[in-house]
Amino acid sequence: MLKEIQIVLCFFFVFVFAILYEITLQSGCVLSCMPISKQFLTQEDIMSQSRSIIFVETTDRLEPPPLVSCSVESATRIYHDRPVVFFMKGLNNSTWLDSNSTYTAFSLLSAMKNVFIFPFQMETLFQETPLLPWYHKVNATQEKYWVHISSDASRLALIWKYGGTYMDTDVISIRPIPVTNFLAAQASQFSSNGIFGFPYHHWFIWDCMKDFVQNYNGHIWGNQGPLLMTRRLQALCNLTNFHNVEDQSCQNISFLHPQRFYPIPYPAWRQYYKVWKRSPDFNNSYALHLWNFMNKEHKTVVAGSNTLVENLYKTYCPTTYKALIQGTEGSGHMQQNKTE
Protein backbone atom coordinates (compact mmCIF):
# COMPACT_ATOMS: atom_id res chain seq x y z
CA MET A 1 0.00 0.00 0.00
CA LEU A 2 2.79 2.39 0.93
CA LYS A 3 4.51 1.75 -2.40
CA GLU A 4 1.30 2.57 -4.30
CA ILE A 5 0.94 5.84 -2.39
CA GLN A 6 4.53 6.78 -3.20
CA ILE A 7 3.93 6.12 -6.90
CA VAL A 8 0.75 8.20 -6.88
CA LEU A 9 2.51 11.08 -5.11
CA CYS A 10 5.38 10.89 -7.58
CA PHE A 11 3.02 11.21 -10.55
CA PHE A 12 1.14 13.99 -8.76
CA PHE A 13 4.28 16.09 -8.27
CA VAL A 14 5.35 15.52 -11.88
CA PHE A 15 1.90 16.66 -13.03
CA VAL A 16 2.01 19.78 -10.83
CA PHE A 17 5.53 20.58 -12.03
CA ALA A 18 4.40 20.36 -15.67
CA ILE A 19 1.38 22.63 -15.05
CA LEU A 20 3.48 25.24 -13.25
CA TYR A 21 6.04 25.11 -16.04
CA GLU A 22 3.36 25.86 -18.66
CA ILE A 23 1.91 28.68 -16.55
CA THR A 24 5.36 30.16 -16.17
CA LEU A 25 5.95 30.28 -19.93
CA GLN A 26 2.48 31.39 -20.99
CA SER A 27 1.48 33.88 -18.32
CA GLY A 28 4.05 36.54 -19.11
CA CYS A 29 5.48 36.25 -15.59
CA VAL A 30 8.43 34.11 -16.54
CA LEU A 31 10.41 35.56 -13.66
CA SER A 32 8.35 37.28 -10.99
CA CYS A 33 6.29 34.12 -10.38
CA MET A 34 8.79 31.59 -11.65
CA PRO A 35 8.17 28.32 -9.78
CA ILE A 36 11.05 26.35 -11.20
CA SER A 37 14.80 26.61 -11.09
CA LYS A 38 16.58 28.57 -13.79
CA GLN A 39 18.56 25.49 -14.71
CA PHE A 40 15.44 23.86 -16.19
CA LEU A 41 14.72 26.76 -18.55
CA THR A 42 16.29 26.66 -21.99
CA GLN A 43 17.31 29.65 -24.07
CA GLU A 44 14.20 29.16 -26.22
CA ASP A 45 11.98 29.13 -23.12
CA ILE A 46 13.43 32.39 -21.86
CA MET A 47 13.43 34.22 -25.18
CA SER A 48 10.03 33.04 -26.40
CA GLN A 49 8.09 36.00 -24.99
CA SER A 50 9.99 38.66 -27.02
CA ARG A 51 10.36 40.59 -23.76
CA SER A 52 14.02 39.99 -22.96
CA ILE A 53 16.57 42.69 -22.25
CA ILE A 54 19.58 41.55 -24.26
CA PHE A 55 23.28 42.23 -23.74
CA VAL A 56 26.12 40.85 -25.88
CA GLU A 57 29.83 40.29 -25.21
CA THR A 58 31.64 39.57 -28.49
CA THR A 59 35.14 39.22 -27.02
CA ASP A 60 36.28 36.04 -25.28
CA ARG A 61 36.57 37.56 -21.82
CA LEU A 62 34.69 35.73 -19.07
CA GLU A 63 34.95 38.29 -16.28
CA PRO A 64 32.64 41.25 -16.93
CA PRO A 65 34.25 44.53 -15.83
CA PRO A 66 32.34 46.71 -13.31
CA LEU A 67 30.57 48.84 -15.93
CA VAL A 68 29.25 45.76 -17.72
CA SER A 69 28.14 44.28 -14.43
CA CYS A 70 26.42 47.53 -13.50
CA SER A 71 24.61 47.68 -16.84
CA VAL A 72 23.24 44.16 -16.45
CA GLU A 73 22.36 44.59 -12.77
CA SER A 74 20.58 47.90 -13.32
CA ALA A 75 18.46 46.25 -16.02
CA THR A 76 17.53 43.39 -13.68
CA ARG A 77 16.30 45.90 -11.11
CA ILE A 78 14.36 48.13 -13.49
CA TYR A 79 12.92 45.18 -15.48
CA HIS A 80 12.52 42.78 -12.58
CA ASP A 81 9.64 40.94 -14.29
CA ARG A 82 11.49 40.39 -17.56
CA PRO A 83 14.40 38.11 -18.49
CA VAL A 84 17.76 39.86 -18.70
CA VAL A 85 19.89 37.77 -21.05
CA PHE A 86 23.64 38.15 -21.37
CA PHE A 87 25.21 36.39 -24.37
CA MET A 88 28.92 35.75 -24.02
CA LYS A 89 31.02 34.58 -26.94
CA GLY A 90 33.73 33.26 -24.61
CA LEU A 91 31.38 30.70 -23.10
CA ASN A 92 30.94 27.25 -24.54
CA ASN A 93 30.06 23.81 -23.26
CA SER A 94 33.52 23.31 -21.78
CA THR A 95 33.70 26.70 -20.04
CA TRP A 96 30.20 26.89 -18.56
CA LEU A 97 30.21 28.81 -15.30
CA ASP A 98 27.61 29.42 -12.60
CA SER A 99 27.02 31.41 -9.43
CA ASN A 100 29.89 29.54 -7.74
CA SER A 101 32.37 30.79 -10.34
CA THR A 102 35.62 32.31 -9.17
CA TYR A 103 34.87 35.27 -11.45
CA THR A 104 33.30 37.75 -9.04
CA ALA A 105 31.13 39.67 -11.50
CA PHE A 106 30.01 36.51 -13.28
CA SER A 107 29.09 34.96 -9.95
CA LEU A 108 27.04 37.90 -8.69
CA LEU A 109 25.16 38.28 -11.98
CA SER A 110 24.44 34.55 -12.20
CA ALA A 111 22.89 34.68 -8.73
CA MET A 112 20.24 37.24 -9.78
CA LYS A 113 16.94 35.49 -10.40
CA ASN A 114 16.10 37.10 -13.75
CA VAL A 115 19.61 37.05 -15.25
CA PHE A 116 20.36 34.31 -17.76
CA ILE A 117 23.86 33.94 -19.20
CA PHE A 118 24.20 31.97 -22.41
CA PRO A 119 27.06 31.16 -24.79
CA PHE A 120 26.58 31.97 -28.43
CA GLN A 121 28.29 31.25 -31.72
CA MET A 122 27.94 33.69 -34.59
CA GLU A 123 27.85 30.89 -37.15
CA THR A 124 24.72 29.50 -35.48
CA LEU A 125 23.20 32.89 -34.70
CA PHE A 126 23.42 34.08 -38.31
CA GLN A 127 21.67 31.01 -39.74
CA GLU A 128 18.63 31.92 -41.85
CA THR A 129 19.56 35.61 -41.97
CA PRO A 130 21.21 37.76 -44.66
CA LEU A 131 24.28 37.93 -42.42
CA LEU A 132 25.45 34.33 -42.90
CA PRO A 133 26.98 34.71 -46.41
CA TRP A 134 28.73 37.88 -45.27
CA TYR A 135 30.08 36.10 -42.19
CA HIS A 136 31.47 33.27 -44.32
CA LYS A 137 33.18 35.75 -46.62
CA VAL A 138 34.60 38.33 -44.20
CA ASN A 139 38.16 37.93 -42.85
CA ALA A 140 37.89 38.91 -39.20
CA THR A 141 41.67 39.15 -38.76
CA GLN A 142 41.80 41.92 -41.37
CA GLU A 143 39.01 43.98 -39.83
CA LYS A 144 40.19 46.93 -37.71
CA TYR A 145 36.88 47.23 -35.88
CA TRP A 146 35.91 43.58 -35.77
CA VAL A 147 34.74 43.54 -32.15
CA HIS A 148 32.35 46.40 -32.89
CA ILE A 149 31.28 45.09 -36.29
CA SER A 150 30.56 41.60 -34.98
CA SER A 151 28.61 43.14 -32.12
CA ASP A 152 26.59 45.25 -34.57
CA ALA A 153 25.73 42.13 -36.56
CA SER A 154 24.97 39.99 -33.50
CA ARG A 155 22.52 42.44 -31.94
CA LEU A 156 20.53 42.63 -35.18
CA ALA A 157 20.35 38.84 -35.50
CA LEU A 158 19.34 38.39 -31.86
CA ILE A 159 16.51 40.92 -32.04
CA TRP A 160 15.38 39.47 -35.37
CA LYS A 161 15.25 35.94 -34.00
CA TYR A 162 13.92 36.62 -30.50
CA GLY A 163 12.66 40.19 -30.23
CA GLY A 164 13.04 42.31 -27.11
CA THR A 165 15.28 45.22 -26.20
CA TYR A 166 18.99 45.35 -26.96
CA MET A 167 21.30 47.43 -24.75
CA ASP A 168 25.01 48.15 -24.92
CA THR A 169 27.00 47.03 -21.90
CA ASP A 170 27.75 50.62 -20.91
CA VAL A 171 24.09 51.59 -20.51
CA ILE A 172 22.76 52.07 -16.98
CA SER A 173 18.98 51.64 -16.74
CA ILE A 174 17.19 54.10 -14.46
CA ARG A 175 13.49 53.66 -15.34
CA PRO A 176 11.42 51.45 -17.69
CA ILE A 177 11.18 52.28 -21.38
CA PRO A 178 7.44 52.73 -22.07
CA VAL A 179 7.50 51.66 -25.75
CA THR A 180 8.48 48.43 -27.51
CA ASN A 181 9.22 49.44 -31.13
CA PHE A 182 11.85 52.11 -30.89
CA LEU A 183 15.17 53.55 -31.93
CA ALA A 184 17.18 55.93 -29.77
CA ALA A 185 18.22 59.27 -31.21
CA GLN A 186 21.77 60.26 -30.44
CA ALA A 187 21.04 63.69 -31.93
CA SER A 188 18.40 65.22 -34.17
CA GLN A 189 18.06 63.16 -37.35
CA PHE A 190 20.74 60.72 -36.19
CA SER A 191 20.03 57.31 -34.64
CA SER A 192 22.23 55.25 -32.37
CA ASN A 193 22.26 51.46 -32.29
CA GLY A 194 23.33 51.23 -28.64
CA ILE A 195 19.78 50.59 -27.51
CA PHE A 196 16.71 49.63 -29.53
CA GLY A 197 13.68 47.39 -29.27
CA PHE A 198 11.48 45.42 -31.67
CA PRO A 199 9.35 42.26 -31.65
CA TYR A 200 10.84 39.19 -33.28
CA HIS A 201 10.89 38.99 -37.08
CA HIS A 202 10.20 42.69 -37.45
CA TRP A 203 10.63 43.89 -41.04
CA PHE A 204 12.79 46.87 -40.01
CA ILE A 205 15.46 44.61 -38.51
CA TRP A 206 15.43 42.39 -41.62
CA ASP A 207 15.98 45.48 -43.77
CA CYS A 208 18.84 46.51 -41.48
CA MET A 209 20.52 43.13 -41.94
CA LYS A 210 20.20 43.40 -45.72
CA ASP A 211 21.65 46.93 -45.62
CA PHE A 212 24.45 45.66 -43.37
CA VAL A 213 25.58 43.30 -46.13
CA GLN A 214 24.84 45.44 -49.19
CA ASN A 215 26.60 48.53 -47.84
CA TYR A 216 29.31 46.81 -45.83
CA ASN A 217 32.44 48.87 -45.25
CA GLY A 218 34.58 47.76 -42.33
CA HIS A 219 36.96 50.70 -42.69
CA ILE A 220 34.36 53.22 -41.49
CA TRP A 221 33.63 52.98 -37.78
CA GLY A 222 29.89 52.82 -37.20
CA ASN A 223 28.95 52.16 -40.82
CA GLN A 224 27.23 48.94 -39.76
CA GLY A 225 25.96 50.48 -36.52
CA PRO A 226 24.52 53.96 -35.93
CA LEU A 227 25.08 55.01 -39.54
CA LEU A 228 23.13 51.95 -40.72
CA MET A 229 20.21 52.66 -38.36
CA THR A 230 20.18 56.28 -39.52
CA ARG A 231 20.22 55.26 -43.20
CA ARG A 232 17.27 52.92 -42.76
CA LEU A 233 15.27 55.42 -40.75
CA GLN A 234 15.92 58.22 -43.24
CA ALA A 235 14.74 55.96 -46.05
CA LEU A 236 11.40 55.59 -44.27
CA CYS A 237 10.80 58.90 -42.58
CA ASN A 238 11.14 62.61 -43.06
CA LEU A 239 13.28 63.23 -40.00
CA THR A 240 13.16 66.67 -38.44
CA ASN A 241 14.90 68.35 -35.53
CA PHE A 242 13.60 67.59 -32.08
CA HIS A 243 11.69 70.31 -30.25
CA ASN A 244 11.57 70.29 -26.46
CA VAL A 245 11.65 66.72 -25.10
CA GLU A 246 9.18 65.21 -27.52
CA ASP A 247 9.68 61.87 -29.25
CA GLN A 248 8.97 61.31 -32.92
CA SER A 249 7.13 58.45 -34.60
CA CYS A 250 7.23 57.00 -38.11
CA GLN A 251 5.95 53.71 -39.57
CA ASN A 252 4.95 52.63 -36.05
CA ILE A 253 8.54 53.09 -34.88
CA SER A 254 9.20 55.52 -32.04
CA PHE A 255 12.30 57.66 -32.48
CA LEU A 256 13.14 58.63 -28.92
CA HIS A 257 14.57 62.03 -28.01
CA PRO A 258 18.33 62.18 -27.23
CA GLN A 259 17.47 63.03 -23.61
CA ARG A 260 16.04 59.53 -23.17
CA PHE A 261 19.47 57.84 -23.28
CA TYR A 262 22.07 60.47 -24.13
CA PRO A 263 21.46 63.45 -21.82
CA ILE A 264 25.25 63.81 -21.65
CA PRO A 265 26.47 63.76 -25.28
CA TYR A 266 29.64 61.95 -26.27
CA PRO A 267 31.94 65.04 -26.41
CA ALA A 268 31.13 65.58 -22.71
CA TRP A 269 31.49 61.94 -21.59
CA ARG A 270 34.03 62.88 -18.90
CA GLN A 271 31.24 64.62 -16.99
CA TYR A 272 30.20 61.21 -15.69
CA TYR A 273 33.56 60.90 -13.96
CA LYS A 274 33.51 64.31 -12.31
CA VAL A 275 32.08 65.59 -9.03
CA TRP A 276 28.94 67.67 -9.47
CA LYS A 277 27.88 70.32 -6.99
CA ARG A 278 24.30 69.39 -7.82
CA SER A 279 23.62 66.02 -9.35
CA PRO A 280 21.32 66.02 -12.39
CA ASP A 281 17.96 64.31 -11.90
CA PHE A 282 17.74 62.80 -15.42
CA ASN A 283 13.95 63.04 -15.15
CA ASN A 284 13.57 62.78 -18.93
CA SER A 285 15.80 59.72 -19.28
CA TYR A 286 15.13 55.99 -19.28
CA ALA A 287 18.79 54.97 -19.26
CA LEU A 288 22.22 56.57 -19.45
CA HIS A 289 24.83 55.70 -22.06
CA LEU A 290 28.30 56.21 -20.55
CA TRP A 291 30.22 56.27 -23.85
CA ASN A 292 32.77 53.67 -22.82
CA PHE A 293 34.21 53.62 -26.34
CA MET A 294 35.40 57.19 -25.73
CA ASN A 295 37.09 56.28 -22.45
CA LYS A 296 40.61 55.83 -23.80
CA GLU A 297 41.93 57.16 -20.49
CA HIS A 298 40.46 54.13 -18.71
CA LYS A 299 38.69 56.19 -16.09
CA THR A 300 37.07 54.02 -13.44
CA VAL A 301 34.69 54.35 -10.51
CA VAL A 302 36.47 55.03 -7.21
CA ALA A 303 34.76 54.38 -3.88
CA GLY A 304 34.27 57.58 -1.90
CA SER A 305 35.04 59.87 -4.84
CA ASN A 306 31.48 61.29 -4.97
CA THR A 307 31.60 61.42 -8.76
CA LEU A 308 28.40 61.26 -10.75
CA VAL A 309 29.17 57.73 -11.93
CA GLU A 310 29.86 56.51 -8.39
CA ASN A 311 26.48 57.80 -7.27
CA LEU A 312 24.83 56.10 -10.24
CA TYR A 313 26.43 52.80 -9.23
CA LYS A 314 25.26 53.23 -5.63
CA THR A 315 21.70 53.88 -6.77
CA TYR A 316 21.16 51.56 -9.71
CA CYS A 317 23.65 48.70 -9.26
CA PRO A 318 24.41 48.54 -5.52
CA THR A 319 25.45 44.89 -5.57
CA THR A 320 28.08 45.61 -8.22
CA TYR A 321 29.18 48.68 -6.29
CA LYS A 322 29.67 46.77 -3.05
CA ALA A 323 31.40 43.77 -4.62
CA LEU A 324 33.50 45.31 -7.38
CA ILE A 325 34.07 48.93 -6.29
CA GLN A 326 34.11 48.94 -2.50
CA GLY A 327 35.63 45.47 -2.56
CA THR A 328 38.64 46.80 -4.48
CA GLU A 329 38.84 50.18 -2.77
CA GLY A 330 42.25 51.75 -3.07
CA SER A 331 43.21 49.82 -6.18
CA GLY A 332 42.38 52.60 -8.58
CA HIS A 333 43.17 56.24 -8.98
CA MET A 334 41.34 58.98 -10.76
CA GLN A 335 41.82 62.70 -10.77
CA GLN A 336 38.68 64.49 -9.66
CA ASN A 337 37.35 67.77 -11.01
CA LYS A 338 34.32 69.77 -10.04
CA THR A 339 31.68 70.96 -12.40
CA GLU A 340 28.37 72.74 -12.12
Side-chain angles (χ1 to χ4, degrees):
M1 183 66 180
L2 180 60
K3 184 175 181 181
E4 285 80 358
I5 293 175
Q6 290 175 333
I7 293 174
V8 170
L9 287 175
C10 180
F11 278 106
F12 173 77
F13 284 121
V14 170
F15 175 76
V16 171
F17 180 90
I19 294 297
L20 290 175
Y21 181 80
E22 286 298 317
I23 292 173
T24 297
L25 296 182
Q26 296 177 12
S27 67
C29 62
V30 175
L31 302 160
S32 60
C33 54
M34 186 166 64
I36 57 179
S37 172
K38 289 200 298 184
Q39 67 183 3
F40 294 109
L41 294 172
T42 66
Q43 179 176 317
E44 287 68 29
D45 294 334
I46 295 302
M47 308 292 285
S48 64
Q49 300 288 323
S50 287
R51 300 178 68 245
S52 300
I53 309 297
I54 298 174
F55 296 91
V56 178
E57 174 60 69
T58 53
T59 72
D60 289 327
R61 68 184 177 190
L62 293 175
E63 174 65 340
L67 181 54
V68 174
S69 180
C70 184
S71 296
V72 176
E73 182 188 345
S74 67
T76 71
R77 294 177 179 274
I78 298 301
Y79 304 96
H80 54 84
D81 60 340
R82 296 171 62 177
V84 176
V85 183
F86 190 14
F87 287 96
M88 299 183 72
K89 176 176 171 288
L91 283 180
N92 55 51
N93 291 335
S94 63
T95 59
W96 183 253
L97 305 171
D98 57 24
S99 59
N100 296 317
S101 166
T102 56
Y103 295 111
T104 304
F106 194 106
S107 179
L108 71 87
L109 292 177
S110 298
M112 297 177 183
K113 76 168 188 176
N114 59 328
V115 172
F116 299 85
I117 304 177
F118 294 121
F120 82 103
Q121 295 179 331
M122 292 182 200
E123 173 82 23
T124 302
L125 177 61
F126 297 154
Q127 295 288 334
E128 299 179 353
T129 78
L131 297 171
L132 187 62
W134 161 81
Y135 182 70
H136 286 159
K137 181 179 178 180
V138 70
N139 184 349
T141 62
Q142 300 299 314
E143 296 289 341
K144 180 179 180 181
Y145 303 114
W146 178 246
V147 169
H148 303 282
I149 291 170
S150 60
S151 178
D152 291 336
S154 297
R155 68 190 68 176
L156 290 173
L158 285 166
I159 294 298
W160 165 256
K161 288 195 169 184
Y162 300 111
T165 299
Y166 168 83
M167 294 185 183
D168 275 351
T169 53
D170 57 349
V171 170
I172 298 178
S173 297
I174 63 176
R175 59 178 55 88
I177 303 167
V179 293
T180 53
N181 292 18
F182 73 92
L183 294 172
Q186 184 174 315
S188 286
Q189 304 183 46
F190 190 84
S191 179
S192 75
N193 75 328
I195 179 167
F196 59 94
F198 287 92
Y200 87 107
H201 285 190
H202 193 279
W203 57 267
F204 181 81
I205 298 299
W206 183 264
D207 287 350
C208 284
M209 291 190 292
K210 290 199 303 183
D211 186 299
F212 186 106
V213 176
Q214 292 169 0
N215 297 298
Y216 182 74
N217 187 338
H219 299 294
I220 301 175
W221 187 91
N223 190 64
Q224 275 60 58
L227 294 176
L228 181 152
M229 292 294 200
T230 302
R231 287 195 303 271
R232 298 314 312 158
L233 195 59
Q234 287 176 339
L236 293 171
C237 312
N238 182 23
L239 299 180
T240 60
N241 291 335
F242 286 98
H243 299 286
N244 301 317
V245 187
E246 296 179 356
D247 303 321
Q248 299 178 10
S249 181
C250 172
Q251 300 283 336
N252 200 32
I253 299 171
S254 296
F255 190 39
L256 302 185
H257 192 282
Q259 284 290 316
R260 304 305 187 194
F261 306 104
Y262 304 101
I264 296 179
Y266 76 89
W269 68 270
R270 292 180 181 83
Q271 300 301 315
Y272 282 114
Y273 294 90
K274 293 183 179 180
V275 177
W276 291 55
K277 291 180 180 179
R278 179 182 298 176
S279 293
D281 54 34
F282 298 119
N283 283 340
N284 293 317
S285 302
Y286 305 132
L288 305 173
H289 193 287
L290 268 63
W291 305 107
N292 193 53
F293 178 73
M294 302 293 295
N295 189 5
K296 307 302 184 184
E297 303 161 34
H298 303 293
K299 290 183 179 294
T300 59
V301 180
V302 176
S305 61
N306 197 33
T307 55
L308 176 57
V309 69
E310 186 199 12
N311 291 322
L312 292 173
Y313 272 52
K314 286 181 177 179
T315 303
Y316 299 107
C317 56
T319 302
T320 294
Y321 179 76
K322 291 175 183 177
L324 303 183
I325 305 303
Q326 285 186 322
T328 57
E329 188 173 359
S331 63
H333 175 75
M334 178 174 61
Q335 182 179 358
Q336 302 302 329
N337 300 296
K338 289 197 173 183
T339 185
E340 295 295 329

